Amino acid sequence: MSDSIEIISWNVNGIRAVANKEALKWIDERDTDILCLQEIKALPEQIPNDLFNKEFLELKVNSAEKKGYSGTATFSSIKSDKTSTSEHIDLLNEGRIIETQYGDTVLFNVYFPNGQKDDERLAYKMEFYDKFLDHCEQLKDEGKSIIICGDVNTAHKEIDLKNPKSNSKTSGFLPIERAWIDKLIDHGYIDTFRYVNGDEEDRYSWWSYRFGARGKNVGWRIDYFFISEDLAENLEDAFILDDIGGSDHCPVGIKISI
């Protein structure tokens, strides 16, 4: 494939809740080729049929062992060559990864762990981060190009959240979490939004449900598309669809030729 494709990623915070709000109908108006959803909180048989009218060729679902929790789903108009759920990274069976291979390109739809619960959970998040990067590096060594999308649960730089100072000791903006994104970039992965849009300010992908945060745009940019640098010249656009409601996150996306 060398055609340009659109890939969109969205943490829906419950796919059934989104269906009840008809909050995915906008996908019918777009030429989206691959739709990656996180935090679906559903088993495959619980995914509503009326999310949208658009027909995708494939649907891959990775549900958490714990019901009504976590989980990922990838809808694709392009036939994949291989799919994996990377159980060696997602050790707690929380349905956090769908790895889909299209030719020499591997797409990861990932719902990275949140570290806010306690120190043990933060340690799990950091272990997950490191295992994930090791896995990507192994694929790169095999000659694969990499696209990573999803809810990373960390804002990278101060520009990526409204209140960096007051959140400097909060998981999601801790120095160790931010250092992992530095490490990812140092290993040759590109933050596509910044690559295309530079230091554009006040662009976020998550807002607390409390204190009218979204209306005031008091948010965090924690949803990302990273690509291996060999794909940089293929990247045509990277965007945040912050006008789309239905979740505490909004969709993010890229246009790329692969």
Side-chain angles (χ1 to χ4, degrees), residues 8-10 26 205 214 239-242 244 249-253:
I8 285 180
S9 170
W10 192 18
W26 55 271
S205 66
R214 189 158 186 173
F239 49 87
I240 296 174
L241 300 174
D242 44 19
I244 289 172
H249 294 251
C250 75
V252 297

Side-chain angles (χ1 to χ4, degrees), residues 134-152:
D134 287 347
H135 182 56
C136 290
E137 286 298 280
Q138 193 178 329
L139 289 169
K140 258 198 336 191
D141 288 345
E142 293 169 12
K144 302 288 189 287
S145 301
I146 310 287
I147 301 172
I148 302 160
C149 73
D151 177 1
V152 178

Side-chain angles (χ1 to χ4, degrees), residues 89-231:
I89 303 167
D90 186 16
L91 297 175
L92 300 179
N93 296 321
E94 292 178 342
R96 293 192 174 273
I97 303 180
I98 298 175
E99 174 185 335
T100 322
Q101 194 167 314
Y102 302 96
D104 289 331
T105 302
V106 179
L107 169 67
F108 286 96
N109 172 7
V110 193
Y111 177 36
F112 290 88
N114 186 316
Q116 288 188 356
K117 187 181 168 199
D118 52 35
D119 287 347
E120 188 182 342
R121 195 65 186 169
L122 178 60
Y124 179 69
K125 177 181 182 179
M126 298 312 300
E127 181 189 359
F128 187 104
Y129 271 167
D130 287 337
K131 284 187 172 169
F132 178 74
L133 179 53
D134 287 347
H135 182 56
C136 290
E137 286 298 280
Q138 193 178 329
L139 289 169
K140 258 198 336 191
D141 288 345
E142 293 169 12
K144 302 288 189 287
S145 301
I146 310 287
I147 301 172
I148 302 160
C149 73
D151 177 1
V152 178
N153 257 314
T154 296
H156 184 207
K157 304 272 192 189
E158 291 197 351
I159 194 176
D160 295 315
L161 71 166
K162 182 62 98 182
N163 296 314
K165 298 230 168 4
S166 60
N167 285 295
S168 61
K169 293 183 179 169
T170 303
S171 178
F173 197 58
L174 294 174
I176 54 166
E177 296 168 311
R178 298 169 61 195
W180 181 79
I181 298 183
D182 289 334
K183 183 175 164 186
L184 182 70
I185 289 168
D186 288 345
H187 277 73
Y189 298 85
I190 293 165
D191 175 350
T192 58
F193 183 78
R194 289 285 168 231
Y195 188 81
V196 170
N197 300 285
D199 291 332
E200 208 173 285
E201 296 183 1
D202 300 321
R203 298 304 306 277
Y204 309 123
S205 66
W206 175 82
W207 303 262
S208 169
Y209 278 135
R210 301 166 69 199
F211 313 121
R214 189 158 186 173
K216 299 171 194 163
N217 198 27
V218 178
W220 298 51
R221 189 174 73 97
I222 59 174
D223 301 86
Y224 293 83
F225 269 88
F226 292 101
I227 57 172
S228 51
E229 54 195 4
D230 63 305
L231 290 174

Side-chain angles (χ1 to χ4, degrees), residues 37-92:
L37 304 181
Q38 302 92 42
E39 209 175 351
I40 60 168
K41 301 180 178 177
L43 298 168
E45 60 271 21
Q46 294 175 314
I47 292 177
N49 294 320
D50 58 349
L51 289 168
F52 35 69
N53 293 319
K54 184 178 170 72
E55 288 186 15
F56 287 94
L57 189 65
E58 293 182 348
L59 167 59
K60 308 290 184 187
V61 180
N62 186 9
S63 301
E65 208 170 77
K66 182 178 167 186
K67 285 189 177 164
Y69 178 73
S70 188
T72 44
T74 300
F75 296 80
S76 179
S77 296
I78 305 159
K79 190 169 183 346
S80 60
D81 298 314
K82 190 178 167 189
T83 305
S84 161
T85 52
S86 309
E87 287 93 346
H88 65 293
I89 303 167
D90 186 16
L91 297 175
L92 300 179

